Amino acid sequence: SANSLLGLRSSMIWAIHTHGWQTGIVLNHKSAGETYLTYSDISALPDNSLSSERCVIYGTCNAGEGGSSAANMVNITSQKGAMTVIGWQDTTYVNQMNTWLKYFLIRSGEGYTIQQAIEYADERVFIEHNQYMGGLDNKLVAGNVTQKLVW
């Protein structure tokens, strides 16, 4: 998890699509054992150590479980300074998440706000998979959704 923390602390946009739960995510699956990035790992960082992060996306199940007042990956990442953090509060599915991430990043790269990119990605998932990604009902978004990720 040390390399992942370094990557998280030194990037401006950090998105991961993996397995997760309310207080952690899987970084890799190895036959010798999995490695994780956990709530405790991020909690141990100094205050504002993620302030260079404009956007963190946890494309995993349950990273935002419990909502805005819970101890979860979205909230701790935001508390450590990330400007915007997005995570899902329930189960996510591989194909739908791949589509969502693709269109979120495309729309963001075109200069739209994070909120506009979220709405577009949700719409594309519905069109391509006939499944609603839950909008803000199933997502927990902490921070500034009016910012743009390109300037």
Side-chain angles (χ1 to χ4, degrees), residues 16-21 24-29 34-37 60:
I16 190 164
H17 183 198
T18 186
H19 295 289
W21 63 100
I25 61 172
V26 176
L27 296 175
N28 64 25
H29 296 282
E34 295 179 340
T35 57
Y36 309 100
L37 178 64
T60 73

Side-chain angles (χ1 to χ4, degrees), residues 41-121:
D41 295 331
I42 295 174
S43 182
L45 294 172
D47 290 344
N48 295 313
S49 61
L50 300 179
S51 61
S52 66
E53 282 295 338
R54 294 174 59 92
C55 185
V56 174
I57 303 168
Y58 289 111
T60 73
C61 296
N62 304 103
E65 185 178 348
S68 60
S69 62
N72 59 43
M73 295 299 284
V74 171
N75 290 331
I76 192 62
T77 304
S78 177
Q79 290 164 14
K80 292 298 178 173
M83 290 176 68
T84 306
V85 187
I86 303 168
W88 278 257
Q89 298 189 61
D90 203 348
T91 302
T92 61
Y93 299 96
V94 173
N95 291 335
Q96 289 84 346
M97 184 59 68
N98 287 341
T99 300
W100 193 93
L101 288 167
K102 171 184 170 182
Y103 286 108
F104 175 85
L105 294 170
I106 286 171
R107 200 56 138 192
S108 295
E110 293 172 341
Y112 289 86
T113 67
I114 287 177
Q115 181 62 46
Q116 291 168 323
I118 288 171
E119 291 168 1
Y120 182 69

